[in-house]
Amino acid sequence: MSQNIESTLVENRRFPASESFIHNAQHSPEQIQALYEQAENDYEGFWKEQAEAKIDWSKPFSSVLSTERAPHFEWFNDGEVNVSYNCIDRHLEERAHQTAIIFEGERGDTRHITYKELHDEVCRFANALKVNGIQKGDRVVIYMPMIAHAVVAMQACARIGATHSVVFGGFSAEALRDRVADAGAKMIITADGGFRGGKTVRLKDAVDAALEGNPLSVEKVVVLKRTGDDIEMKEGRDVWWDEFEAGMSNYCDPVPVEAEHPLFILYTSGSTGKPKGVQHSSAGYLLGAITTMQWVFDVNPNKDVYWCTADVGWITGHTYVAYGPLAVGATQVIYEGVPMVPDAGRFWKVCEDHKVTTFYTAPTAIRALMKAGEQFPDQYDLSALRLLGTVGEPINPEAWMWYYEKIGASKCPIVDTWWQTETGANMIAPVPQTTDCKPGSCTRPLPGIDAIIVDEEGNEITTPNQGGYLVIRKPWPSMIRTVWNDDERFQNTYYPMFDGKYYLAGDNARKDEDGYFWIMGRTDDVLNVSGHRLGTMEIESALVAHEAVAEAAVVGMPHEVKGEAVLAFVICKGDRPEGEAADALVKELREWVSQQIGPIAKPDQIRFADNLPKTRSGKIMRRLLRSIGKGEEITSDISTLENPAIVAQLQGKA
Ligand code: 7RM
């Protein structure tokens, strides 16, 4: 699979952090350099020191890394910790009256919540959870809009050791049902709805549909009133948030849990079958969140206003909204809506209004905002900004330069952070004091992260710019512990090769002459649509579940704003539909997929065919379908296909 990237534009521009950035940073370049060196020379000692310094332990640990259950690695496993205590209580002496969260709704409502107020809210909710029978280890599904209450619910679970599983509010009832069932959740925390994209999203209806006629494990549904839309409340099962926590005490003892106790499960798409429940630990995960907030984002709790635009339904919203910023005592903005409401100036207005210093978003948002034009950022005062970040997919140099010049006024480093749901925290990213940025590269592995590129046999590739598999050689504290209820799938997915020596990320990458990493895309059948991970298999299964569909193949197509768009080739049970019948079925199938998975998975294009190109062994030739989707000339030998004639039809030539 190793390949030379002749076609890739060579990007050699380097952008060092400014003198003033370095001067104001929390760590000097020498201190950062020392971290890299210590991690290199004494790996476990390095992580031990970090864990002792940055976490308040309920019971200290003596074991650092334990490999007995490898590849289920364990960190600090005889220690005990409470994550909510670390995010809230330990700041109260110094920061009780400091704003923890500046919330802004899509419709403009704002709310400032201090650390003390957050503490009280989390405690009340945690007490209500306990009173209602939720105990350490129980699973609680959170299906909420992007509002501060979602963070309160997550922190309340952490406080009593309940394992949360947040399901993105954009997922459908069907998707929610699967996740609730897989997690065996006892409770769902939701809202009547949320405001998103100028509309209301009716979350409670989806919960009702997910639970309908289904003997799931859910005993109670807690409903926050957000939109005020009419909803049904089911007697005995449903309770309003306000009633649920009414009369509860403002103090709830944080329950110490073992370091390895599952803080949360978060479902993510893989190459096959149903989404996997990625299980994270408590202490190791928390440590990853804290160290990266400090190293990559250089967050200064006394000065910065930090804003990560990710929804809590994704890992970025876990580590860089619900946990990381609080764990370091920062002030953060939480914004409910989308970037384009009421117009493409919304993000920049939020930055101006709240004097945001540190802004973290996804390339797809940057591309969309760039397309809208610089007249939007030009209207706002963005001078408080001092650091920008991106995550989710490679950022193209053009978008990088726009972000750097128009948003950052050519004075803010851009931290391009490569990581995954499974890695828990940033893995490859610059520490701006020591690592110059290059547009489009996530730069170098962080201290204590041993990322390399290997060939098919697991040999490290040292030739510059030669592509290969991105793997992580040594375990790291915030790594995935297992796939919920499926150890085998964990092992097969992440440690399938090289005798289980390396964690396989599922990405292709190359390293340039300076040791900078360039991510080239997934090696598996996972799409990245607007920074959201979608399995092609998931969408195919949804399509095939429709009565008219016999077979389907889904591939990604390059897309200017989304990064990748969804293209589906569909074989119908009867004749291939044409004309108006085809148009009507396209519409129906798009709606169908939206219902089965969620609007983000809706195919952008559907093409009907009599058959799919297959190898003699029956494998769908996705590579060929991708070329057809891009309208490329087919130069590969198709004569070995089972059905070479189908190619012309798929291209629209027959
Ligand atoms: C945080 C997140 C993970 C996949 C990953 C990559 C891609 C993420 C970058 C990136 C290039 C980046 N978690 N990816 N960050 N590609 N540069 N900075 O996105 O689990 O949803 O997705 O996203 O392919 O494997 S995720």
Side-chain angles (χ1 to χ4, degrees), residues 178-179 182 267-270 272-278 483 489 538:
D178 290 346
R179 287 157 174 78
D182 190 81
Y267 287 84
T268 192
S269 297
T272 52
K274 297 210 164 192
K276 306 180 275 263
V278 171
V483 170
R489 195 163 170 205
E538 253 175 289

Side-chain angles (χ1 to χ4, degrees), residues 206-466:
V207 171
D208 291 342
L211 296 182
E212 198 186 293
N214 229 309
L216 290 183
S217 42
V218 175
E219 292 160 12
K220 230 175 191 59
V221 178
V222 182
V223 188
L224 180 86
K225 189 173 261 178
R226 170 76 183 140
T227 59
D229 284 345
D230 256 351
I231 56 160
E232 263 178 60
M233 293 291 280
K234 191 168 164 183
E235 188 72 55
R237 186 195 70 184
D238 301 348
V239 52
W240 290 105
W241 177 295
D242 286 351
E243 286 162 22
F244 184 69
E245 58 157 28
M248 295 295 157
S249 156
N250 283 344
Y251 184 75
C252 169
D253 260 332
V255 174
V257 300
E258 306 79 62
E260 286 294 312
H261 180 71
L263 177 63
F264 65 87
I265 304 164
L266 183 61
Y267 287 84
T268 192
S269 297
S271 43
T272 52
K274 297 210 164 192
K276 306 180 275 263
V278 171
Q279 179 181 320
H280 276 289
S281 67
S282 294
Y285 172 79
L286 177 65
L287 186 61
I290 296 173
T291 53
T292 53
M293 284 300 296
Q294 297 176 335
W295 299 336
V296 181
F297 297 96
D298 182 41
V299 168
N300 181 336
N302 300 321
K303 285 190 192 159
D304 281 316
V305 178
Y306 162 97
W307 179 22
C308 166
T309 67
D311 192 284
V312 286
W314 310 108
I315 189 70
T316 309
H318 280 62
T319 311
Y320 298 105
V321 178
Y323 292 109
L326 298 175
V328 299
T331 297
Q332 71 170 322
V333 171
I334 292 182
Y335 169 61
E336 176 184 31
V338 302
M340 297 295 181
V341 171
D343 61 37
R346 184 58 180 269
F347 272 10
W348 318 131
K349 183 168 187 334
V350 172
C351 284
E352 174 183 288
D353 287 351
H354 305 298
K355 301 196 169 50
V356 171
T357 61
T358 311
F359 179 68
Y360 189 28
T361 196
T364 183
I366 298 163
R367 288 192 296 266
L369 295 169
M370 174 173 81
K371 243 181 120 188
E374 59 197 66
Q375 68 273 24
F376 290 102
D378 281 353
Q379 288 168 43
Y380 300 99
D381 176 6
L382 302 177
S383 59
L385 286 171
R386 70 176 191 94
L387 183 140
L388 302 172
T390 90
V391 59
E393 54 178 317
I395 180 165
N396 45 309
E398 193 200 355
W400 198 98
M401 287 308 302
W402 186 83
Y403 197 30
Y404 189 74
E405 289 170 353
K406 299 289 177 234
I407 308 306
S410 303
K411 68 171 169 68
C412 307
I414 297 181
V415 293
D416 179 340
T417 59
W418 177 86
W419 61 297
Q420 311 175 292
T421 306
E422 295 86 341
T423 68
N426 295 169
M427 299 289 282
I428 309 181
V431 180
Q433 296 91 301
T434 55
T435 305
D436 299 354
C437 300
K438 289 190 195 182
S441 167
C442 51
T443 76
R444 303 193 293 147
L446 289 169
I449 301 301
D450 186 23
I452 58 165
I453 296 170
V454 300
D455 65 17
E456 224 107 85
E457 278 83 51
N459 303 310
E460 183 170 2
I461 295 177
T462 48
T463 317
N465 294 318
Q466 189 172 322

